[in-house]
Amino acid sequence: DTEVTQTPKHLVMGMTNKKSLKCEQHMGHRAMYWYKQKAKKPPELMFVYSYEKLSINESVPSRFSPECPNSSLLNLHLHALQPEDSALYLCASSQQGLGLGTEAFFGQGTRLTVV
Amino acid sequence: TQLLEQSPQFLSIQEGENLTVYCNSSSVFSSLQWYRQEPGEGPVLLVTVVTGGEVKKLKRLTFQFGDARKDSSLHITAAQPGDTGLYLCAGVLNTGNQFYFGTGTSLTVIP
């Protein structure tokens, strides 16, 4: 089982709304990631959690707030977003911290539209 | 400046043709992965290469890791419309703990 599940698949939200994106994996992976992707561009790293602790924050605005309740779950809380935040948000996981032969597995993404 | 540069950026070919996508860097990577992504979906892992000079085959796809572990290539034989998508290389630096994506190659195979 190499599945990473993201919900919802699509989300439309207003600039004053608060919403959350969810990600779940049951592969026993201890590293989980959030990426943001614009059309036909490579994913851009936002956050990395390693052993349920935030290890990398790529200078992401505070309107994006990650949370890792346990080793299988990763959330991304959204508040006061801007239209330019509209994108595909991808969750990924890997067996451990990045190293030799590390493979990252991605979810199907959440298509977010901010209106 | 991207750590991993892919070429070409866009590629449109007829069904049945062969193609090669390149992923180049001046840095040494401990491993490289290739992903294919369809619109609105997440990237799907195709292969991981670890050893310099390694060649892996996946049906009509052949992946090669450079001897110096700085570059990789993906060759597709007899392309089919189902091969259409965004191809991404990605890797972990030999000296670090960051996972870097390449600039991407958008492939369209015309029936």
Side-chain angles (χ1 to χ4, degrees):
Chain A
D1 178 15
T2 57
E3 191 170 310
V4 177
T5 304
Q6 288 187 244
T7 56
K9 191 165 173 62
H10 301 276
L11 178 63
V12 179
M13 61 185 290
M15 290 188 283
T16 58
N17 291 160
K18 285 185 181 180
K19 297 286 184 182
S20 296
L21 309 185
K22 297 186 185 301
C23 175
E24 191 169 1
Q25 57 86 15
H26 295 287
M27 296 178 276
H29 288 176
R30 303 311 299 268
M32 296 185 75
Y33 314 82
W34 280 114
Y35 286 86
K36 173 183 176 181
Q37 187 180 28
K38 294 283 197 179
K40 297 203 172 178
K41 297 290 186 183
E44 299 171 14
L45 182 65
M46 299 175 72
F47 302 104
V48 180
Y49 272 83
S50 180
Y51 292 86
E52 299 153 54
K53 293 193 186 315
L54 183 65
S55 62
I56 295 177
N57 176 343
E58 289 288 331
S59 302
V60 179
S62 59
R63 58 185 184 268
F64 296 91
S65 175
E67 179 197 19
C68 189
N70 60 55
S71 60
S72 299
L73 293 174
L74 186 66
N75 299 322
L76 186 62
H77 303 297
L78 314 172
H79 174 54
L81 295 193
Q82 303 297 311
E84 59 264 30
D85 296 322
S86 299
L88 182 69
Y89 286 84
L90 294 163
C91 172
S93 70
S94 64
Q95 190 167 21
Q96 53 189 13
L98 300 171
L100 182 65
T102 293
E103 295 178 329
F105 295 91
F106 284 82
Q108 289 200 313
T110 294
R111 171 66 62 190
L112 174 67
T113 303
V114 181
V115 297
Chain B
T1 304
Q2 287 276 0
L3 204 59
L4 281 166
E5 293 282 345
Q6 286 183 239
S7 61
Q9 187 178 0
F10 298 98
L11 188 55
S12 181
I13 62 171
Q14 293 291 134
E15 182 176 359
E17 292 183 355
N18 301 332
L19 66 115
T20 302
V21 178
Y22 299 94
C23 174
N24 295 306
S25 178
S26 57
S27 300
V28 177
F29 286 83
S30 63
S31 64
L32 271 178
Q33 286 86 51
W34 283 93
Y35 293 85
R36 186 178 79 202
Q37 185 178 22
E38 297 187 20
E41 302 290 330
V44 175
L45 181 65
L46 297 174
V47 79
T48 299
V49 286
V50 177
T51 306
E54 183 176 3
V55 176
K56 282 191 174 179
K57 292 195 174 187
L58 185 67
K59 296 183 181 178
R60 294 177 293 102
L61 278 59
T62 301
F63 305 86
Q64 187 162 8
F65 201 12
D67 290 341
R69 307 207 316 272
K70 293 182 178 181
D71 53 80
S72 181
S73 64
L74 157 61
H75 183 78
I76 300 179
T77 303
Q80 298 177 0
D83 296 327
T84 293
L86 180 68
Y87 287 81
L88 294 158
C89 65
V92 179
L93 277 178
N94 207 32
T95 56
N97 62 355
Q98 281 271 24
F99 191 69
Y100 294 92
F101 273 97
T103 48
T105 295
S106 180
L107 171 65
T108 302
V109 181
I110 302 165

CSV table of all heavy atoms in Angstrom, one decimal, chain A residues 44-97:
chain,number,residue,atom,x,y,z
A,44,GLU,N,6.3,23.2,-5.2
A,44,GLU,CA,7.2,24.0,-4.3
A,44,GLU,C,7.0,23.6,-2.9
A,44,GLU,O,5.8,23.5,-2.4
A,44,GLU,CB,6.8,25.5,-4.5
A,44,GLU,CG,6.9,26.1,-5.8
A,44,GLU,CD,6.3,27.5,-5.9
A,44,GLU,OE1,6.1,28.1,-4.9
A,44,GLU,OE2,6.1,28.0,-7.1
A,45,LEU,N,8.1,23.3,-2.2
A,45,LEU,CA,8.0,22.8,-0.8
A,45,LEU,C,7.5,23.9,0.1
A,45,LEU,O,7.9,25.1,0.0
A,45,LEU,CB,9.3,22.3,-0.4
A,45,LEU,CG,9.4,21.7,1.0
A,45,LEU,CD1,8.6,20.5,1.2
A,45,LEU,CD2,10.9,21.5,1.4
A,46,MET,N,6.5,23.5,1.0
A,46,MET,CA,6.0,24.5,2.0
A,46,MET,C,6.5,24.1,3.4
A,46,MET,O,7.2,24.9,4.0
A,46,MET,CB,4.5,24.5,2.0
A,46,MET,CG,3.9,24.9,0.7
A,46,MET,SD,2.1,24.8,0.7
A,46,MET,CE,1.6,26.1,1.8
A,47,PHE,N,6.2,22.9,3.8
A,47,PHE,CA,6.5,22.4,5.1
A,47,PHE,C,7.0,20.9,5.1
A,47,PHE,O,6.5,20.2,4.2
A,47,PHE,CB,5.3,22.5,6.0
A,47,PHE,CG,4.7,23.8,6.2
A,47,PHE,CD1,3.5,24.1,5.5
A,47,PHE,CD2,5.2,24.8,7.0
A,47,PHE,CE1,2.9,25.4,5.6
A,47,PHE,CE2,4.7,26.0,7.1
A,47,PHE,CZ,3.5,26.3,6.4
A,48,VAL,N,7.9,20.6,6.0
A,48,VAL,CA,8.3,19.2,6.3
A,48,VAL,C,8.1,18.9,7.7
A,48,VAL,O,8.6,19.7,8.6
A,48,VAL,CB,9.7,19.0,5.9
A,48,VAL,CG1,10.1,17.5,6.1
A,48,VAL,CG2,10.0,19.3,4.4
A,49,TYR,N,7.4,17.8,8.0
A,49,TYR,CA,7.3,17.2,9.4
A,49,TYR,C,8.2,16.0,9.4
A,49,TYR,O,8.0,15.1,8.6
A,49,TYR,CB,5.9,16.9,9.7
A,49,TYR,CG,5.2,18.1,10.4
A,49,TYR,CD1,4.6,19.1,9.5
A,49,TYR,CD2,5.1,18.3,11.7
A,49,TYR,CE1,3.9,20.2,10.1
A,49,TYR,CE2,4.4,19.4,12.3
A,49,TYR,CZ,3.9,20.3,11.5
A,49,TYR,OH,3.2,21.4,12.0
A,50,SER,N,9.0,15.9,10.4
A,50,SER,CA,9.8,14.7,10.6
A,50,SER,C,9.5,14.2,12.1
A,50,SER,O,9.7,15.0,13.0
A,50,SER,CB,11.3,15.0,10.4
A,50,SER,OG,12.0,13.8,10.6
A,51,TYR,N,9.1,13.0,12.2
A,51,TYR,CA,8.7,12.4,13.5
A,51,TYR,C,7.8,13.4,14.2
A,51,TYR,O,8.0,13.7,15.4
A,51,TYR,CB,9.9,12.1,14.3
A,51,TYR,CG,10.7,10.9,13.7
A,51,TYR,CD1,11.7,11.1,12.7
A,51,TYR,CD2,10.5,9.6,14.2
A,51,TYR,CE1,12.4,10.1,12.2
A,51,TYR,CE2,11.2,8.6,13.6
A,51,TYR,CZ,12.1,8.8,12.6
A,51,TYR,OH,12.8,7.7,12.1
A,52,GLU,N,6.8,13.9,13.5
A,52,GLU,CA,5.7,14.7,14.0
A,52,GLU,C,6.1,16.1,14.5
A,52,GLU,O,5.3,16.8,15.1
A,52,GLU,CB,4.9,14.0,15.2
A,52,GLU,CG,4.3,12.7,14.7
A,52,GLU,CD,4.1,11.6,15.8
A,52,GLU,OE1,3.5,12.0,16.8
A,52,GLU,OE2,4.6,10.5,15.6
A,53,LYS,N,7.4,16.4,14.2
A,53,LYS,CA,7.8,17.8,14.5
A,53,LYS,C,8.1,18.5,13.2
A,53,LYS,O,8.7,18.0,12.3
A,53,LYS,CB,9.1,17.7,15.4
A,53,LYS,CG,8.8,17.1,16.8
A,53,LYS,CD,10.0,17.4,17.7
A,53,LYS,CE,9.9,16.7,19.0
A,53,LYS,NZ,8.6,16.8,19.6
A,54,LEU,N,7.8,19.8,13.2
A,54,LEU,CA,8.0,20.7,12.1
A,54,LEU,C,9.5,20.8,11.9
A,54,LEU,O,10.2,21.4,12.8
A,54,LEU,CB,7.3,22.0,12.2
A,54,LEU,CG,7.5,23.0,11.1
A,54,LEU,CD1,6.8,22.4,9.8
A,54,LEU,CD2,6.9,24.3,11.4
A,55,SER,N,10.1,20.4,10.8
A,55,SER,CA,11.5,20.5,10.6
A,55,SER,C,11.9,21.5,9.6
A,55,SER,O,13.0,22.1,9.6
A,55,SER,CB,12.1,19.1,10.3
A,55,SER,OG,11.6,18.7,9.0
A,56,ILE,N,11.0,21.8,8.6
A,56,ILE,CA,11.3,22.8,7.6
A,56,ILE,C,10.0,23.6,7.3
A,56,ILE,O,8.9,23.1,7.2
A,56,ILE,CB,11.8,22.1,6.3
A,56,ILE,CG1,13.1,21.4,6.4
A,56,ILE,CG2,11.9,23.2,5.2
A,56,ILE,CD1,13.6,20.7,5.2
A,57,ASN,N,10.2,24.9,7.3
A,57,ASN,CA,9.2,25.9,6.9
A,57,ASN,C,9.8,26.8,5.9
A,57,ASN,O,10.7,27.5,6.2
A,57,ASN,CB,8.7,26.7,8.1
A,57,ASN,CG,7.6,27.7,7.8
A,57,ASN,OD1,7.5,28.1,6.6
A,57,ASN,ND2,6.9,28.2,8.8
A,58,GLU,N,9.4,26.7,4.7
A,58,GLU,CA,10.0,27.4,3.6
A,58,GLU,C,9.5,28.8,3.5
A,58,GLU,O,9.0,29.3,2.5
A,58,GLU,CB,9.8,26.7,2.3
A,58,GLU,CG,10.6,25.4,2.1
A,58,GLU,CD,12.1,25.6,2.0
A,58,GLU,OE1,12.5,26.7,1.4
A,58,GLU,OE2,12.9,24.8,2.4
A,59,SER,N,9.5,29.5,4.6
A,59,SER,CA,9.1,31.0,4.7
A,59,SER,C,7.7,31.1,4.1
A,59,SER,O,7.4,32.0,3.4
A,59,SER,CB,10.1,31.8,3.8
A,59,SER,OG,11.4,31.7,4.3
A,60,VAL,N,6.8,30.2,4.6
A,60,VAL,CA,5.4,30.3,4.1
A,60,VAL,C,4.7,31.3,5.0
A,60,VAL,O,4.8,31.4,6.2
A,60,VAL,CB,4.8,28.9,4.3
A,60,VAL,CG1,3.3,28.9,3.9
A,60,VAL,CG2,5.6,27.8,3.5
A,61,PRO,N,3.8,32.1,4.3
A,61,PRO,CA,3.0,33.1,5.1
A,61,PRO,C,2.2,32.4,6.2
A,61,PRO,O,1.7,31.3,6.1
A,61,PRO,CB,2.1,33.7,4.0
A,61,PRO,CG,2.8,33.5,2.7
A,61,PRO,CD,3.5,32.2,2.9
A,62,SER,N,1.9,33.2,7.3
A,62,SER,CA,1.3,32.6,8.4
A,62,SER,C,-0.2,32.3,8.2
A,62,SER,O,-0.8,31.6,9.0
A,62,SER,CB,1.4,33.6,9.6
A,62,SER,OG,0.8,34.8,9.3
A,63,ARG,N,-0.7,32.7,7.1
A,63,ARG,CA,-2.1,32.3,6.7
A,63,ARG,C,-2.2,30.8,6.4
A,63,ARG,O,-3.3,30.3,6.3
A,63,ARG,CB,-2.7,33.2,5.6
A,63,ARG,CG,-1.9,33.1,4.3
A,63,ARG,CD,-2.5,34.1,3.3
A,63,ARG,NE,-1.8,34.0,2.0
A,63,ARG,CZ,-0.8,34.8,1.7
A,63,ARG,NH1,-0.3,35.7,2.5
A,63,ARG,NH2,-0.3,34.7,0.5
A,64,PHE,N,-1.1,30.2,6.3
A,64,PHE,CA,-1.0,28.7,6.2
A,64,PHE,C,-0.4,28.2,7.5
A,64,PHE,O,0.7,28.5,7.8
A,64,PHE,CB,-0.1,28.3,5.0
A,64,PHE,CG,-0.6,28.7,3.6
A,64,PHE,CD1,-0.2,29.9,3.1
A,64,PHE,CD2,-1.5,27.9,2.9
A,64,PHE,CE1,-0.7,30.3,1.8
A,64,PHE,CE2,-1.9,28.3,1.7
A,64,PHE,CZ,-1.5,29.5,1.1
A,65,SER,N,-1.2,27.3,8.1
A,65,SER,CA,-0.7,26.8,9.4
A,65,SER,C,-0.8,25.2,9.4
A,65,SER,O,-1.8,24.7,9.3
A,65,SER,CB,-1.6,27.3,10.5
A,65,SER,OG,-1.3,26.7,11.8
A,66,PRO,N,0.4,24.6,9.4
A,66,PRO,CA,0.4,23.1,9.4
A,66,PRO,C,0.2,22.5,10.8
A,66,PRO,O,0.5,23.2,11.8
A,66,PRO,CB,1.8,22.8,8.8
A,66,PRO,CG,2.6,23.9,9.4
A,66,PRO,CD,1.8,25.1,9.4
A,67,GLU,N,-0.2,21.3,10.8
A,67,GLU,CA,-0.4,20.6,12.1
A,67,GLU,C,-0.2,19.1,11.8
A,67,GLU,O,-0.7,18.6,10.8
A,67,GLU,CB,-1.8,20.8,12.6
A,67,GLU,CG,-2.1,20.1,13.9
A,67,GLU,CD,-3.6,20.0,14.2
A,67,GLU,OE1,-4.4,20.2,13.3
A,67,GLU,OE2,-3.9,19.8,15.4
A,68,CYS,N,0.5,18.4,12.7
A,68,CYS,CA,0.7,17.0,12.6
A,68,CYS,C,0.2,16.3,13.9
A,68,CYS,O,0.9,16.1,14.8
A,68,CYS,CB,2.1,16.7,12.3
A,68,CYS,SG,2.5,15.0,11.9
A,69,PRO,N,-1.1,15.9,13.9
A,69,PRO,CA,-1.7,15.4,15.2
A,69,PRO,C,-1.0,14.1,15.6
A,69,PRO,O,-0.9,13.8,16.8
A,69,PRO,CB,-3.2,15.2,14.8
A,69,PRO,CG,-3.4,16.0,13.6
A,69,PRO,CD,-2.1,16.1,12.9
A,70,ASN,N,-0.7,13.2,14.6
A,70,ASN,CA,0.0,12.0,14.9
A,70,ASN,C,0.8,11.6,13.6
A,70,ASN,O,0.8,12.3,12.6
A,70,ASN,CB,-1.0,10.9,15.3
A,70,ASN,CG,-2.0,10.6,14.3
A,70,ASN,OD1,-1.7,10.2,13.1
A,70,ASN,ND2,-3.3,10.7,14.7
A,71,SER,N,1.4,10.4,13.7
A,71,SER,CA,2.4,10.0,12.6
A,71,SER,C,1.7,9.7,11.3
A,71,SER,O,2.3,9.6,10.3
A,71,SER,CB,3.2,8.8,13.1
A,71,SER,OG,2.4,7.7,13.4
A,72,SER,N,0.4,9.6,11.3
A,72,SER,CA,-0.4,9.2,10.1
A,72,SER,C,-1.1,10.4,9.5
A,72,SER,O,-1.6,10.3,8.4
A,72,SER,CB,-1.4,8.1,10.4
A,72,SER,OG,-0.8,7.0,10.9
A,73,LEU,N,-1.2,11.5,10.2
A,73,LEU,CA,-2.1,12.6,9.8
A,73,LEU,C,-1.3,13.9,9.7
A,73,LEU,O,-0.4,14.2,10.5
A,73,LEU,CB,-3.2,12.8,10.8
A,73,LEU,CG,-4.3,11.7,10.9
A,73,LEU,CD1,-5.2,12.0,12.0
A,73,LEU,CD2,-5.0,11.5,9.6
A,74,LEU,N,-1.7,14.6,8.6
A,74,LEU,CA,-1.1,16.0,8.4
A,74,LEU,C,-2.2,16.9,8.0
A,74,LEU,O,-3.0,16.5,7.1
A,74,LEU,CB,0.0,15.9,7.4
A,74,LEU,CG,0.8,17.2,7.2
A,74,LEU,CD1,1.6,17.5,8.4
A,74,LEU,CD2,1.7,17.0,6.0
A,75,ASN,N,-2.3,18.0,8.6
A,75,ASN,CA,-3.3,19.0,8.3
A,75,ASN,C,-2.7,20.3,7.8
A,75,ASN,O,-1.6,20.6,8.2
A,75,ASN,CB,-4.3,19.3,9.5
A,75,ASN,CG,-5.0,18.1,10.0
A,75,ASN,OD1,-5.4,17.2,9.2
A,75,ASN,ND2,-5.2,18.0,11.3
A,76,LEU,N,-3.4,21.0,7.0
A,76,LEU,CA,-3.0,22.4,6.6
A,76,LEU,C,-4.2,23.3,6.8
A,76,LEU,O,-5.2,23.2,6.1
A,76,LEU,CB,-2.5,22.4,5.2
A,76,LEU,CG,-1.9,23.8,4.7
A,76,LEU,CD1,-0.6,24.1,5.5
A,76,LEU,CD2,-1.6,23.7,3.2
A,77,HIS,N,-4.1,24.2,7.8
A,77,HIS,CA,-5.2,25.1,8.2
A,77,HIS,C,-5.0,26.4,7.4
A,77,HIS,O,-3.9,26.9,7.3
A,77,HIS,CB,-5.2,25.4,9.7
A,77,HIS,CG,-5.3,24.1,10.5
A,77,HIS,ND1,-6.4,23.3,10.4
A,77,HIS,CD2,-4.5,23.6,11.4
A,77,HIS,CE1,-6.3,22.3,11.3
A,77,HIS,NE2,-5.1,22.4,11.9
A,78,LEU,N,-6.1,26.8,6.8
A,78,LEU,CA,-6.1,28.0,5.9
A,78,LEU,C,-6.9,29.1,6.4
A,78,LEU,O,-8.1,28.8,6.9
A,78,LEU,CB,-6.6,27.6,4.5
A,78,LEU,CG,-6.1,26.3,3.9
A,78,LEU,CD1,-6.8,25.9,2.7
A,78,LEU,CD2,-4.6,26.4,3.7
A,79,HIS,N,-6.4,30.3,6.4
A,79,HIS,CA,-7.2,31.4,7.0
A,79,HIS,C,-6.8,32.7,6.2
A,79,HIS,O,-5.6,33.0,6.1
A,79,HIS,CB,-7.0,31.6,8.5
A,79,HIS,CG,-7.6,32.8,9.0
A,79,HIS,ND1,-9.0,33.1,8.9
A,79,HIS,CD2,-7.1,33.8,9.8
A,79,HIS,CE1,-9.2,34.2,9.5
A,79,HIS,NE2,-8.2,34.7,10.1
A,80,ALA,N,-7.8,33.5,5.8
A,80,ALA,CA,-7.5,34.8,5.2
A,80,ALA,C,-6.6,34.6,3.9
A,80,ALA,O,-5.6,35.4,3.8
A,80,ALA,CB,-7.0,35.8,6.2
A,81,LEU,N,-6.9,33.7,3.1
A,81,LEU,CA,-6.1,33.5,1.9
A,81,LEU,C,-6.4,34.5,0.8
A,81,LEU,O,-7.4,35.2,0.9
A,81,LEU,CB,-6.4,32.1,1.3
A,81,LEU,CG,-5.9,30.9,2.2
A,81,LEU,CD1,-5.9,29.6,1.4
A,81,LEU,CD2,-4.6,31.1,2.8
A,82,GLN,N,-5.5,34.6,-0.1
A,82,GLN,CA,-5.6,35.5,-1.2
A,82,GLN,C,-5.9,34.7,-2.5
A,82,GLN,O,-5.5,33.5,-2.6
A,82,GLN,CB,-4.3,36.3,-1.4
A,82,GLN,CG,-3.9,37.1,-0.1
A,82,GLN,CD,-4.9,38.1,0.3
A,82,GLN,OE1,-5.3,38.9,-0.6
A,82,GLN,NE2,-5.3,38.2,1.5
A,83,PRO,N,-6.4,35.4,-3.5
A,83,PRO,CA,-6.7,34.7,-4.8
A,83,PRO,C,-5.4,34.0,-5.4
A,83,PRO,O,-5.5,33.0,-6.0
A,83,PRO,CB,-7.2,35.8,-5.7
A,83,PRO,CG,-7.9,36.7,-4.7
A,83,PRO,CD,-7.0,36.7,-3.5
A,84,GLU,N,-4.3,34.7,-5.1
A,84,GLU,CA,-3.0,34.1,-5.7
A,84,GLU,C,-2.6,32.8,-5.0
A,84,GLU,O,-1.7,32.1,-5.4
A,84,GLU,CB,-1.9,35.1,-5.7
A,84,GLU,CG,-1.5,35.6,-4.3
A,84,GLU,CD,-2.2,36.9,-4.0
A,84,GLU,OE1,-3.4,37.2,-4.5
A,84,GLU,OE2,-1.7,37.7,-3.2
A,85,ASP,N,-3.3,32.5,-3.9
A,85,ASP,CA,-3.0,31.2,-3.2
A,85,ASP,C,-3.7,30.0,-3.9
A,85,ASP,O,-3.5,28.9,-3.5
A,85,ASP,CB,-3.4,31.3,-1.7
A,85,ASP,CG,-2.6,32.3,-0.9
A,85,ASP,OD1,-1.4,32.4,-1.2
A,85,ASP,OD2,-3.2,33.0,-0.1
A,86,SER,N,-4.5,30.3,-4.8
A,86,SER,CA,-5.2,29.2,-5.6
A,86,SER,C,-4.2,28.4,-6.3
A,86,SER,O,-3.3,28.9,-7.0
A,86,SER,CB,-6.2,29.8,-6.6
A,86,SER,OG,-7.2,30.6,-6.0
A,87,ALA,N,-4.3,27.1,-6.1
A,87,ALA,CA,-3.2,26.2,-6.6
A,87,ALA,C,-3.7,24.7,-6.2
A,87,ALA,O,-4.7,24.5,-5.6
A,87,ALA,CB,-1.9,26.5,-6.0
A,88,LEU,N,-2.9,23.8,-6.7
A,88,LEU,CA,-3.0,22.4,-6.3
A,88,LEU,C,-2.1,22.2,-5.0
A,88,LEU,O,-0.9,22.5,-5.1
A,88,LEU,CB,-2.6,21.4,-7.4
A,88,LEU,CG,-2.7,19.9,-7.1
A,88,LEU,CD1,-4.2,19.5,-7.0
A,88,LEU,CD2,-2.1,19.1,-8.2
A,89,TYR,N,-2.7,21.7,-3.9
A,89,TYR,CA,-1.9,21.5,-2.7
A,89,TYR,C,-1.7,20.0,-2.6
A,89,TYR,O,-2.6,19.2,-2.5
A,89,TYR,CB,-2.6,22.1,-1.5
A,89,TYR,CG,-2.4,23.6,-1.5
A,89,TYR,CD1,-3.3,24.4,-2.3
A,89,TYR,CD2,-1.4,24.3,-0.9
A,89,TYR,CE1,-3.2,25.8,-2.3
A,89,TYR,CE2,-1.2,25.6,-0.9
A,89,TYR,CZ,-2.1,26.4,-1.7
A,89,TYR,OH,-2.0,27.8,-1.8
A,90,LEU,N,-0.4,19.6,-2.5
A,90,LEU,CA,0.0,18.2,-2.5
A,90,LEU,C,0.6,17.8,-1.2
A,90,LEU,O,1.4,18.6,-0.6
A,90,LEU,CB,1.0,17.9,-3.6
A,90,LEU,CG,0.5,18.1,-5.0
A,90,LEU,CD1,1.7,18.2,-6.0
A,90,LEU,CD2,-0.3,16.9,-5.4
A,91,CYS,N,0.2,16.7,-0.7
A,91,CYS,CA,0.8,16.1,0.5
A,91,CYS,C,1.6,14.9,0.1
A,91,CYS,O,1.3,14.2,-0.9
A,91,CYS,CB,-0.3,15.6,1.4
A,91,CYS,SG,0.2,14.7,2.9
A,92,ALA,N,2.7,14.7,0.7
A,92,ALA,CA,3.6,13.6,0.4
A,92,ALA,C,4.1,13.0,1.7
A,92,ALA,O,4.1,13.7,2.8
A,92,ALA,CB,4.8,14.0,-0.5
A,93,SER,N,4.6,11.8,1.6
A,93,SER,CA,5.2,11.1,2.8
A,93,SER,C,6.4,10.3,2.3
A,93,SER,O,6.5,9.9,1.2
A,93,SER,CB,4.3,10.3,3.6
A,93,SER,OG,3.9,9.1,2.8
A,94,SER,N,7.4,10.1,3.2
A,94,SER,CA,8.5,9.2,2.9
A,94,SER,C,8.8,8.5,4.2
A,94,SER,O,8.5,8.9,5.3
A,94,SER,CB,9.7,10.0,2.4
A,94,SER,OG,10.2,10.9,3.4
A,95,GLN,N,9.6,7.4,4.1
A,95,GLN,CA,9.8,6.5,5.2
A,95,GLN,C,10.4,7.2,6.4
A,95,GLN,O,10.1,6.9,7.5
A,95,GLN,CB,10.7,5.3,4.7
A,95,GLN,CG,10.7,4.2,5.7
A,95,GLN,CD,11.3,2.9,5.1
A,95,GLN,OE1,12.0,3.0,4.1
A,95,GLN,NE2,11.1,1.8,5.7
A,96,GLN,N,11.4,8.0,6.1
A,96,GLN,CA,12.1,8.7,7.2
A,96,GLN,C,12.5,10.0,6.6
A,96,GLN,O,12.1,10.5,5.6
A,96,GLN,CB,13.3,7.9,7.6
A,96,GLN,CG,14.2,7.5,6.5
A,96,GLN,CD,15.2,6.5,6.9
A,96,GLN,OE1,15.2,5.9,8.0
A,96,GLN,NE2,16.3,6.3,6.1
A,97,GLY,N,13.4,10.7,7.4
A,97,GLY,CA,13.9,11.9,6.8
A,97,GLY,C,14.7,11.6,5.5
A,97,GLY,O,15.0,10.5,5.2
